[in-house]
Structure formats: C-alpha cells, structure tokens
Amino acid sequence: CGAAMAGWARAVRGLLLDVSGVLYDSGADGGVPIAGSAEAVRRIKASGLKLRLCTNETQTTRENFVKKLRGLGFDVSVAEVTAPAPAACHILKERGLRPHLLVHDDLVPEFAEIDKTNPNCVVLGDAAENFTYANLNEAFRLLIGMEKPVLISLGRGRYYKETDGLKLDVGAYMKALEYACDVQAEVVGKPSKRFFESALAEMGVPPEQAIMIGDDIVNDVGGAQRCGMRALQVRTGKYRPSDENHPEVKPDAYVNNLAEAVDIILQQL
C-alpha cells in the first residue's frame, strides 16, 4: 500500500482498538485470537503510539477481561481499557441513581460500591443467559412504575461474533424495553460521544490525532468519526461485505485485519 494511498494514516499519536472482532473472537472456550493481532499490539506499544482498548464488553469485570486477553497472548493492562461499566458507575454516583441491574453475573462486582436499594433506574448490559422473560419483565415493571423512567444501557450493539456464530447483543433488549416503556435509553458505551471522549482524555490525545479501529460499522466507525477521529473498518469479527455499502457510514479505510492497519500506520511514523 503506497504512501499516497494511506493519507488517513498520517499524524497519528493514538490508536483506539475495539477488542471483540479485532483482537479476538470471543467464545465459550475463552475465544481465539485473530491472526497477527497480538503481534500488532506489541508493535503499537514498541512504536510509542498511545493505545486504548475501547470495548463494549460487559460480560465480565475489566480485571477478568484483561486476564483473558493476556492468556490469549495480548500484552495489555487494565489501565489501557475503557469499558462501559466504570463509566456507568461514574454517572450513577454523579446523579444519585440506584440501579436495578440486568447484567451478566460476572459484571456485578463492577457495581460493588453502588447503592442498589430501592432502585430508581435500570442498568442494562449484555446479560446473555440472564436475558430471560422473567428478568426482562422485572426490569419492564420497574421502569413502567417510575414517574420518570431512567434506562441506562451499556452499549447498543445489535449482535457480535463468537466462535460458534453470531449472538444477539444488548441493543436488541434495550430496544424492547424502550418500546414497551416508551422511554429513550441513555447509552454509556460506544457509540456515545462521551465514551470516546473519555478514552481520548485518558490517552491525552486530541481526536484529530487518533484512529479508531473496529469491526462494527455503526458503533465503532460511525461513533468515532462523529467525535472527529479517523476510523478504520477491519474485515474480521462480525464484518460483512454489505457493511461496505452502508448508507450512512463510510470508514476512512477498510483493512483486512488489525495487523495490516498497523503496518500502514507504522510506515507513516
């Protein structure tokens, strides 16, 4: 790829990486790394570029998430992860909200410091098997009973890819509760502007010097571009060829995988 073609790769100081579908495909067996991604992360760090993992992962705590990634060969630390649950806790404390949690069991420790008695809002995460009719109905009843219902969603993804196929994501259940309660959810993870902005602030890099790399055309690419960043779509994870004809979102470039993106970016440094 000649320098002329890679104008999008210039003047970069920080990279924001989506995790699932870019670094690895998750799965019941712990998941599998995407070829070349662990080496690409090592090269980013060796180059001196700032690195931030921007994930909407809400099935586990950041500690366990990082432990899993390290087990797959990725040299990353909790300090490099921007995730929805801690961001949500910040908002809950700020606004004196007491959540009813409809989240994955493994995520609950992230909310340890938060008062959950007599809830005045609902927090929704990727609860996977916990998305039963009974649990959704309980959240619905709480919301519909509130004078001013507050629904906070840790993302709005439609689906994601695991090793055994595509899985429904939190956004589908968010829409169900929005529809039933006639309420608009507040999204805390990607593609919310505040989420990307906090990742940039943690890196100390302005948006025009950062590139987001993701497999989700709407939440990764579209969200980052709306914050003034460049954004690349990888052809891994849940990428589908139809993404290349998306009516609203046009990535700054398509790359086959993270390794290819890193090659091009490092050539420009």
Side-chain angles (χ1 to χ4, degrees), residues 28 60 67 88 113 115 117 122 130 146 198 223 228 232 239 249 255:
T60 186
K67 202 178 289 174
E113 311 288 295
D115 180 6
T117 53
V122 168
N130 277 352
M146 291 173 192
S198 65
L232 310 184
Y239 161 84
V249 185
V255 287

Side-chain angles (χ1 to χ4, degrees), residues 169-222:
D169 201 356
V170 62
Y173 300 95
M174 175 192 95
K175 285 293 181 189
L177 288 173
E178 280 188 336
Y179 179 63
C181 305
D182 198 18
V183 59
Q184 190 89 46
E186 300 175 40
V187 178
V188 172
K190 296 177 297 194
S192 95
K193 205 163 180 190
R194 183 167 171 178
F195 188 75
F196 284 114
E197 283 167 351
S198 65
L200 287 166
E202 285 156 7
M203 296 165 87
V205 171
E208 59 278 5
Q209 295 181 349
I211 294 181
M212 172 78 200
I213 303 174
D215 69 329
D216 185 319
I217 184 85
V218 174
N219 293 314
D220 295 332
V221 176

Side-chain angles (χ1 to χ4, degrees), residues 35-244:
S37 288
E39 178 58 23
V41 168
R42 266 195 297 279
R43 293 178 64 205
I44 292 167
K45 293 190 139 181
S47 75
L49 286 173
K50 296 276 181 64
L51 173 69
R52 207 75 209 159
L53 304 184
C54 270
T55 180
N56 268 5
E57 168 69 53
T58 58
Q59 285 196 10
T60 186
T61 61
R62 278 168 301 166
E63 281 73 14
N64 286 340
F65 181 54
V66 163
K67 202 178 289 174
K68 180 169 80 174
L69 286 175
R70 294 184 76 92
L72 291 172
F74 292 97
D75 171 24
V76 293
S77 66
V78 173
E80 291 167 321
V81 176
T82 304
C89 288
H90 187 75
I91 289 169
L92 293 168
K93 285 179 179 157
E94 218 173 58
R95 288 163 51 185
L97 291 170
R98 301 180 305 278
H100 167 77
L101 300 175
L102 177 43
V103 299
H104 199 283
D105 293 341
D106 295 341
L107 189 71
V108 173
E110 289 273 20
F111 294 89
E113 311 288 295
I114 301 287
D115 180 6
K116 298 180 265 308
T117 53
N118 187 20
N120 56 4
C121 74
V122 168
V123 170
L124 195 62
D126 178 14
E129 308 302 323
N130 277 352
F131 278 135
T132 60
Y133 176 79
N135 287 348
L136 275 164
N137 202 49
E138 187 185 2
F140 157 74
R141 284 179 167 176
L142 272 165
L143 283 168
I144 203 90
M146 291 173 192
E147 201 178 317
K148 283 211 176 98
V150 176
L151 173 60
I152 293 174
S153 187
L154 305 178
R156 48 171 291 177
R158 292 175 175 160
Y159 54 84
Y160 53 92
K161 186 175 179 223
E162 290 208 327
T163 45
D164 63 347
L166 299 176
K167 303 278 165 109
L168 271 180
D169 201 356
V170 62
Y173 300 95
M174 175 192 95
K175 285 293 181 189
L177 288 173
E178 280 188 336
Y179 179 63
C181 305
D182 198 18
V183 59
Q184 190 89 46
E186 300 175 40
V187 178
V188 172
K190 296 177 297 194
S192 95
K193 205 163 180 190
R194 183 167 171 178
F195 188 75
F196 284 114
E197 283 167 351
S198 65
L200 287 166
E202 285 156 7
M203 296 165 87
V205 171
E208 59 278 5
Q209 295 181 349
I211 294 181
M212 172 78 200
I213 303 174
D215 69 329
D216 185 319
I217 184 85
V218 174
N219 293 314
D220 295 332
V221 176
Q225 286 177 335
R226 275 199 306 279
C227 290
M229 278 186 260
R230 286 161 278 177
L232 310 184
Q233 164 108 18
V234 288
R235 296 188 178 103
T236 55
K238 66 173 169 189
Y239 161 84
R240 303 168 94 171
S242 60
D243 292 345
E244 305 210 13

